[in-house]
Amino acid sequence: MRIYPTFEVFAVAFLSLALTIILAPAWIAFLKSKSIGEEIRIDGPVKHLAKQGTPTMGGVLILFAALIPFLLRARMTTTSIVAVILTISCGLLGFIDDYLKVNRVRSLGLKARYKLLVQLIITIAIGLVVTRYANISTTVYIPVIKTGIN
């Protein structure tokens, strides 16, 4: 029986959603029990004070819930391995940002310029790897024109 790639994508997305829904309450309870939550600045808007203690690091759950079904269902090709490495790299950056917020007990994690710099480094590294070693083309095909643009 042939399984269409579109079905595979929707199956992985559905499994990721289901895993997130199932694990989220336990993850939030765990974060609250460890007092891992937002710290709000006193000099900020009054409305923001309601956010005090809101659990942070939800991205860890989302990353886990997205990667597990993908790794179980996807065909391991060069493209899929690059996608996993890229996802984990950006997820690690988000984790470091949240960890610094929690560890420093303040609302500031990594500065925006450092996050952008790390994202740029990740992008350049992945771009070099896929164009030089993974034989992934940089040609963009535009269907209306029917020619490729390099």
Side-chain angles (χ1 to χ4, degrees):
M1 178 173 87
R2 181 177 172 182
I3 298 176
Y4 293 101
T6 308
F7 175 78
E8 286 288 332
V9 169
F10 283 115
V12 168
F14 178 77
L15 289 171
S16 296
L17 176 65
L19 200 54
T20 302
I21 291 170
I22 291 167
L23 296 178
W27 182 247
I28 292 170
F30 170 76
L31 293 173
K32 284 183 178 181
S33 73
K34 300 293 182 188
S35 298
I36 299 174
E38 291 287 332
E39 292 295 328
I40 305 300
R41 294 190 324 219
I42 307 246
D43 60 341
V46 177
K47 291 181 180 180
H48 286 200
L49 293 176
K51 297 178 182 180
Q52 181 71 27
T54 301
T56 187
M57 293 199 186
V60 172
L61 172 66
I62 293 169
L63 187 63
F64 176 79
L67 284 177
I68 296 303
F70 180 80
L71 293 172
L72 292 174
R73 300 278 312 170
R75 295 181 190 109
M76 284 300 128
T77 63
T78 304
T79 306
S80 63
I81 291 169
V82 167
V84 167
I85 291 169
L86 182 60
T87 302
I88 290 172
S89 300
C90 291
L92 185 60
L93 177 61
F95 174 80
I96 291 168
D97 184 43
D98 283 349
Y99 179 79
L100 289 175
K101 288 178 189 177
V102 171
N103 195 34
R104 293 178 182 168
V105 191
R106 61 187 191 131
S107 62
L108 301 173
L110 286 172
K111 291 185 177 182
R113 71 179 76 133
Y114 297 127
K115 284 190 259 189
L116 286 172
L117 179 64
V118 172
Q119 289 172 347
L120 181 64
I121 291 168
I122 291 169
T123 303
I124 290 171
I126 294 290
L128 288 173
V129 167
V130 299
T131 56
R132 305 235 174 178
Y133 304 109
N135 295 327
I136 295 175
S137 175
T138 58
T139 304
V140 176
Y141 291 97
I142 303 172
V144 176
I145 300 173
K146 295 184 181 178
T147 61
I149 298 174
N150 289 327

